Amino acid sequence: MRDELKYLSGFGNEFSSEDERWPGSLPPGQNSPQRCPRGLYAEQLSGTAFTCGRADNRRSWLYRARPSVCHGPFEPVADESGPEHLTDDWDRTPPNPNQLRWKPFEVPTRQDTDEVDFVRGLHTICGAGDPRARAGLAVHVYLCNASMRRKALYNSDGDFLIVPQLGPLLITTEFGRMRVESNEICVVQRGMRFSVKVYGPSRGYILEVYDNHFQLPNLGPIGANGLANPRDFLTPTAHYEDDDEDEVNDYLIINKYQGRLFRAAQRHSPYDVVAWHGNYVPYKYNLERFMVINSVSFDHCDPSIFTVLTCPSDKPGTAIADFVIFPPRWSVQEHTFRPPYYHRNCMSEFMGLIRGSYEAKDREGFQPGGASLHSMMTPHGPDAACYEAASGQAELRPERVADGTQAFMFETYYGLAVTEWALRGCQKLDPKYQDCWRGLKKNFKTTEK
């Protein structure tokens, strides 16, 4: 399957794609002819308002065997993730400004539980805002052991940025198929139907933004190149799926709408798209392609230099959410405390670990598949052992940092509320997290020797 998949390269491009088995399916020169080629239906998927400026307008035209309106009525889902797992009710738990850290979230196995697919495996960690007002975001994890069968999900509330940590995902969308490995990410934008196939126990993180869409950060003085390069983003090519044969089992369409799940039944596959064109598409990116910009003189640069994607707010220079990574790189600063500095931030920082060990925390405390949250203005920084080693013993020579490691951060200007499941239900919250700083002692000297 990995070798069969084909992609289109670029970020924010105007793409067009036809299933190779049915060439000539795109109507030439117009979007909605009186009769589309091959008897297809034309359907527009709009990611922005019609009247949005041309530079910001996002939409795609899909040419499909049936329009997506061909489904039964939506009804609330009762047997999928309950409100204690997937939620946008940020008032169910009291505010908690403490530094929080989670051990790796438990992945269901076939031995100790039933089949859990991607939809059932969604669990909300924290968030803020209201999808009804198109303001805010949520952070989830997915914990699953089975593929979605005759089931598709689409999100009316926002865009999903998916970060696999354990196990690859084969994601089928209306635009085609993409395989997303660990150390890759993908974005499935608002309204796009998709299904997830897994190959065993699977775990990962999701950043959901209710407003705007992800874009590449401006480079400013860096120049024309660096960080995530547009050519390395890949969009799937059209792949028509005909699944009308099963007259017994309906195809379930799951809709995440205003924080709740709804289901509707239909007899045909939602992936009956033969051709499409536009700039509102799903895409994936390999984090190994990130071109690191770093200091080669002195001091530790701010983590914003590691931003892969940003979802900007209406306030210039401030993000609804940034997706930031801490990849393998050279460290060469002179006269400098090289680990991250101690910090209090007007932003909230949720961190996860895909693989390896993060440089500023001990290996046992912060593990792959776990997470941490440093809330707005809550102090954080290297643990005591890291500080002692970096401030007194480390030889400041050029050295590789974070080889075999990939940590990331979801950063936002929203104050995040933590869910009941994250605080108690998952049973992975580390009660001893603050102990990692207890060894920091007073080194102040009134006389300098």
Side-chain angles (χ1 to χ4, degrees):
M1 174 62 69
R2 191 180 312 182
D3 295 332
E4 295 176 6
L5 302 183
K6 296 181 179 180
Y7 300 94
L8 303 167
S9 169
F11 189 91
N13 292 13
E14 286 285 344
F15 293 113
S16 63
S17 181
E18 294 178 327
D19 190 310
E20 295 176 343
R21 296 168 291 180
W22 290 281
S25 298
L26 276 173
Q30 64 179 125
N31 297 321
S32 186
Q34 185 178 20
R35 291 187 64 84
C36 291
R38 301 186 183 276
L40 297 172
Y41 290 88
E43 179 179 275
Q44 184 175 201
L45 178 62
S46 296
T48 54
F50 295 143
T51 53
C52 197
R54 182 183 287 266
D56 300 316
N57 204 290
R58 296 290 178 266
R59 54 81 188 98
S60 286
W61 282 88
L62 309 174
Y63 299 92
R64 55 197 319 151
R66 297 177 183 83
S68 59
V69 73
C70 296
H71 61 75
F74 280 104
E75 299 175 348
V77 170
D79 59 348
E80 303 288 352
S81 296
E84 72 278 7
H85 289 171
L86 185 65
T87 183
D88 65 349
D89 184 354
W90 313 121
D91 295 324
R92 297 184 64 190
T93 55
N96 186 343
N98 284 299
Q99 301 95 342
L100 302 176
R101 182 169 68 186
W102 290 267
K103 299 291 187 179
F105 298 101
E106 188 170 349
V107 182
T109 65
R110 297 293 181 88
Q111 287 72 35
D112 58 14
T113 189
D114 296 331
E115 289 190 355
V116 179
D117 65 19
F118 181 86
V119 177
R120 290 189 62 196
L122 291 172
H123 298 72
T124 307
I125 302 297
C126 55
D130 185 351
R132 293 169 295 183
R134 301 279 294 268
L137 78 163
V139 175
H140 317 279
V141 291
Y142 66 85
L143 309 166
C144 58
N145 60 15
S147 300
M148 294 169 62
R149 297 186 177 89
R150 292 188 67 80
K151 181 189 295 185
L153 170 67
Y154 75 97
N155 186 1
S156 295
D157 293 340
D159 293 3
F160 275 160
L161 188 157
I162 302 172
V163 185
Q165 186 272 320
L166 176 66
L169 306 178
L170 178 62
I171 300 180
T172 299
T173 76
E174 295 171 276
F175 296 79
R177 301 169 297 170
M178 54 185 175
R179 182 182 172 99
V180 188
E181 306 275 353
S182 178
N183 211 42
E184 294 185 319
I185 63 167
C186 71
V187 173
V188 181
Q189 304 193 75
R190 185 193 305 267
M192 297 176 180
R193 297 180 177 186
F194 70 102
S195 301
V196 177
K197 179 179 180 180
V198 299
Y199 300 88
S202 301
R203 175 175 57 204
Y205 311 84
I206 299 176
L207 172 59
E208 178 185 14
V209 291
Y210 299 152
D211 189 19
N212 213 336
H213 301 292
F214 290 104
Q215 55 188 253
L216 295 175
N218 293 323
L219 298 182
I222 292 174
N225 306 288
L227 308 186
N229 293 311
R231 65 179 295 197
D232 294 324
F233 288 82
L234 302 177
T235 289
T237 56
H239 181 80
Y240 172 75
E241 179 182 290
D242 189 353
D243 197 10
D244 294 346
E245 294 83 6
D246 195 333
E247 296 295 331
V248 177
N249 298 308
D250 287 331
Y251 216 111
L252 293 182
I253 307 299
I254 308 296
N255 180 15
K256 182 177 180 296
Y257 179 75
Q258 295 186 7
R260 302 293 184 268
L261 297 180
F262 296 82
R263 61 190 290 176
Q266 63 185 47
R267 285 302 177 93
H268 64 281
S269 169
Y271 309 120
D272 60 351
V273 177
V274 183
W276 60 266
H277 76 85
N279 61 1
Y280 188 56
V281 296
Y283 54 87
K284 73 168 198 168
Y285 175 72
N286 187 336
L287 299 181
E288 292 182 358
R289 298 293 184 90
F290 188 80
M291 179 183 162
V292 176
I293 303 293
N294 206 358
S295 171
V296 294
S297 55
F298 58 87
D299 282 347
H300 186 104
C301 294
D302 295 332
S304 50
I305 62 169
F306 300 117
T307 302
V308 179
L309 291 169
T310 184
C311 182
S313 71
D314 293 334
K315 184 178 181 180
T318 304
I320 294 170
D322 286 330
F323 174 63
V324 179
I325 63 173
F326 302 98
R329 60 199 183 275
W330 281 97
S331 183
V332 297
Q333 302 98 311
E334 300 174 335
H335 314 297
T336 295
F337 181 75
R338 289 182 177 178
Y341 43 77
Y342 293 100
H343 190 42
R344 291 179 294 163
N345 197 353
C346 63
M347 309 283 276
S348 301
E349 301 177 3
F350 177 93
M351 282 196 66
L353 187 60
I354 298 173
R355 63 189 187 189
S357 58
Y358 181 55
E359 59 186 297
K361 293 292 187 295
D362 67 280
R363 183 182 296 270
E364 295 302 316
F366 190 41
Q367 301 176 30
S372 68
L373 175 63
H374 300 139
S375 295
M376 192 177 296
M377 290 303 176
T378 295
H380 53 278
D383 60 28
C386 177
Y387 176 83
E388 289 298 325
S391 63
Q393 304 170 14
E395 181 184 353
L396 296 181
R397 54 179 174 78
E399 62 178 338
R400 290 286 296 175
V401 175
D403 276 337
T405 291
Q406 189 66 268
F408 71 87
M409 180 167 66
F410 300 152
E411 185 176 71
T412 175
Y413 79 150
Y414 281 96
L416 300 179
V418 183
T419 65
E420 175 68 23
W421 183 85
L423 289 174
R424 284 171 280 275
C426 69
Q427 299 182 351
K428 295 297 179 181
L429 190 64
D430 183 357
K432 298 181 179 180
Y433 181 30
Q434 291 184 344
D435 290 351
C436 74
W437 294 293
R438 291 188 186 278
L440 291 169
K441 57 183 182 292
K442 182 178 179 181
N443 296 317
F444 176 65
K445 299 179 178 63
T446 57
T447 58
E448 192 68 46
K449 295 183 179 179

